[in-house]
């Protein structure tokens, strides 16, 4: 994440809606990848005091306060670019759901920031998929007895990412993490993983190399998953896979690797703009980026241990995983939209 500032000079977070120093409103403009300090106009629009551009707040900000996005007022869009991806939002008349949705949107917006930084399209048509990337934030009977479904998990199908909003409950998420023997479980991690399935369909063209690295993607997905849940990962999986779940099927290995690629890019950009490392990820080779990451991840973990916290990055990136990350990097950078 790059550094963002209010026009008064105060540094602000990506999530902020107003400046704590000058109290003026802030809005994130996805089209220009910048935070804008805006002032209300009598006609309901908002204006950037520096360049005079007119904006309106995202509908989800006006109605629910769950977003800090803004859109050009002449764009005629009710929602910001990130909120336009929502297909189903939580029923906020139910207790706790608004707070859950706020946490979910924060993670989703960071995912969108990362995808746009990599110049990945959000709405590219994929054969067999209805329309770009979309999100359903759903409940099941565990949080809402009126719902017919007993269990709704997190997943991806035809470009639609489903997230059970219970993932926004800290205790529930930690319980799931322990039950699944996971090292790491976050909403952002879910989104980056599930987005990986969408981008697999869009980006991966080189199946020979893919198969060499990740395994044969044509093997039965259902069978592979059943096998994984029955028997668990093979002993010694850590040498070739970033997580136990990545061993379940080549598609899952790709999605896990894709998620880590996004984690690394975001963290390296953040470290560079804050002077922790000297170069932005785009300025050096991918091998160099991974060398930076190796040091940075160890530093992050040590800092967390200093504070009595769990490791920030509880993973080991082995040479086998590096080869897969290279493939993700090459695949993203080789992508050209169909009409270019
Ligand atoms: Zn300010
Ligand atoms: Zn929005
Ligand atoms: Zn998956």
């Amino acid at each position: 994440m790059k550094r963002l500032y209010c026009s008064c000079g105060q540094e602000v977070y990506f999530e902020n809606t107003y400046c704590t120093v000058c109290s003026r409103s802030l809005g994130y403009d996805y089209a220009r990848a910048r935070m804008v300090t805006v002032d209300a106009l009598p006609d309901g629009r908002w204006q950037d005091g520096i360049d005079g551009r007119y904006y309106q707040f995202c509908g989800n900000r006006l109605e629910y306060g769950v977003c800090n996005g803004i859109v050009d007022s002449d764009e005629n869009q009710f929602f910001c670019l990130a909120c336009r991806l929502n297909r189903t939002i939580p029923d906020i008349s139910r207790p706790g759901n608004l707070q859950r949705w706020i946490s979910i949107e924060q993670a989703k917006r960071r995912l969108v920031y990362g995808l746009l930084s990599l110049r990945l399209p959000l709405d590219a048509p994929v054969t067999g998929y209805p329309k770009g990337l979309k999100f359903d934030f759903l409940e099941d009977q565990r949080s809402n007895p009126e719902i017919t479904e007993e269990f709704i998990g997190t997943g991806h199908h035809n470009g639609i990412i489903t997230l059970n909003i219970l993932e926004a409950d800290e205790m529930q998420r930690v319980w799931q993490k322990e039950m699944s023997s996971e090292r790491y479980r976050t909403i952002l991690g879910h989104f980056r993983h599930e987005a990986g399935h969408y981008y697999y369909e869009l980006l991966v063209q080189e199946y020979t190399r893919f198969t060499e690295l990740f395994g044969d993607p044509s093997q039965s997905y259902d069978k592979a998953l059943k096998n994984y849940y029955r028997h668990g990962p093979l002993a010694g999986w850590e040498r070739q896979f970033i997580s136990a779940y990545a061993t379940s099927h080549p598609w899952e290995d790709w999605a896990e690797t894709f998620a880590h690629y996004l984690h690394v890019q975001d963290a390296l950009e953040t470290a560079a703009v804050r002077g922790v490392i000297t170069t932005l990820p785009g300025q050096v080779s991918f091998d160099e980026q991974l060398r930076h990451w190796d040091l940075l991840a160890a530093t992050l973990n040590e800092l967390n241990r200093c504070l009595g916290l769990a490791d920030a990055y509880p993973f080991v990136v082995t040479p086998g995983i590096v080869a897969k990350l290279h493939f993700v990097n090459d695949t993203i950078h080789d992508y050209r939209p169909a009409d270019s």
Side-chain angles (χ1 to χ4, degrees):
M1 179 59 62
K2 59 185 178 183
R3 297 183 84 162
L4 301 167
Y5 298 90
C6 172
S7 64
C8 75
Q10 173 67 26
E11 182 164 11
V12 295
Y13 288 108
F14 179 57
E15 293 81 8
N16 283 166
T17 54
Y18 70 95
C19 171
T20 51
V21 171
C22 71
S23 304
R24 290 166 75 198
S25 291
L26 299 167
Y28 190 75
D29 175 357
Y30 287 93
R32 296 171 190 83
R34 61 175 192 162
M35 190 66 94
V36 187
T37 309
V38 289
D39 298 302
L41 297 175
D43 62 4
R45 292 182 301 170
W46 294 79
Q47 190 173 27
D48 177 347
I50 292 179
D51 71 7
R53 193 178 294 276
Y54 296 106
Y55 286 103
Q56 64 189 54
F57 282 167
C58 169
N60 280 340
R61 176 170 181 166
L62 293 170
E63 294 191 13
Y64 309 111
V66 300
C67 176
N68 69 348
I70 49 172
V71 275
D72 283 31
S73 53
D74 55 9
E75 238 190 279
N76 222 10
Q77 290 281 358
F78 186 64
F79 293 115
C80 75
L81 196 141
C83 289
R84 264 172 259 162
L85 305 178
N86 291 351
R87 200 175 72 148
T88 313
I89 60 166
D91 173 2
I92 56 146
S93 67
R94 296 190 56 78
N97 279 2
L98 179 61
Q99 208 48 47
R100 289 172 179 146
W101 189 23
I102 290 170
S103 306
I104 290 166
E105 287 294 340
Q106 284 186 353
K108 194 197 75 190
R109 291 204 300 274
R110 193 167 274 258
L111 166 77
V112 169
Y113 171 89
L115 296 173
L116 294 176
S117 301
L118 291 167
R119 298 196 169 84
L120 288 171
L122 305 172
D123 55 359
V126 173
T127 312
Y129 286 11
K131 205 180 174 191
L133 193 58
K134 292 279 173 219
F135 291 83
D136 281 347
F137 304 135
L138 303 180
E139 284 184 274
D140 60 24
Q141 286 186 356
R142 286 175 292 170
S143 59
N144 183 351
E146 291 162 25
I147 302 270
T148 44
E149 286 87 355
E150 263 182 59
F151 179 83
I152 287 179
T154 297
H156 166 269
H157 183 65
N158 287 356
I160 296 155
I161 292 175
T162 299
L163 182 86
N164 190 314
I165 64 169
L166 271 182
E167 287 291 336
D169 288 7
E170 190 78 16
M171 278 180 53
Q172 180 72 24
R173 197 172 58 251
V174 170
W175 181 79
Q176 287 276 0
K177 177 172 166 270
E178 295 303 318
M179 291 295 290
S180 319
S181 305
E182 292 170 342
R183 297 173 180 181
Y184 169 96
R185 189 179 180 103
T186 63
I187 306 172
L188 181 56
H190 280 312
F191 283 153
R192 285 175 171 163
H193 171 105
E194 301 305 340
H197 288 301
Y198 169 75
Y199 288 104
Y200 172 83
E201 292 298 334
L202 183 70
L203 305 177
V204 177
Q205 313 285 339
E206 228 296 30
Y207 292 101
T208 310
R209 183 74 182 133
F210 179 89
T211 303
E212 282 168 13
L213 290 165
F214 295 86
D216 180 5
S218 67
Q219 62 186 274
S220 164
Y221 182 78
D222 289 345
K223 244 168 130 174
L225 266 284
K226 263 186 206 138
N227 189 49
Y228 172 75
Y229 284 117
R230 190 168 302 151
H231 304 293
L234 290 173
W237 60 267
E238 294 92 342
R239 284 194 294 277
Q240 292 297 326
F241 297 89
I242 193 70
S243 69
Y245 186 60
T247 66
S248 62
H249 188 278
W251 289 342
E252 297 305 338
D253 192 10
W254 158 271
E256 286 287 84
T257 311
F258 183 89
H260 278 260
Y261 181 81
L262 294 188
H263 293 333
V264 171
Q265 293 297 306
D266 193 3
L268 288 180
E269 182 189 52
T270 306
V273 297
R274 290 177 179 278
V276 181
I277 56 174
T278 53
T279 46
L280 285 162
Q283 294 171 329
V284 291
S285 70
F286 190 57
D287 276 326
E288 189 67 12
Q289 292 176 42
L290 290 174
R291 274 193 286 277
H292 288 159
W293 178 240
D294 203 32
L295 288 170
L296 187 62
T299 304
L300 277 172
N301 289 345
E302 285 291 5
L303 283 170
N304 268 20
R305 290 178 191 200
C306 290
L307 300 170
L309 296 168
D311 283 353
Y313 190 74
F315 301 97
V316 180
V317 180
T318 64
I321 297 161
V322 165
K324 294 177 194 179
L325 284 165
H326 263 285
F327 181 82
V328 172
N329 180 62
D330 293 345
T331 304
I332 289 172
H333 288 285
D334 288 348
Y335 171 72
R336 297 284 174 274
D339 58 355
S340 73

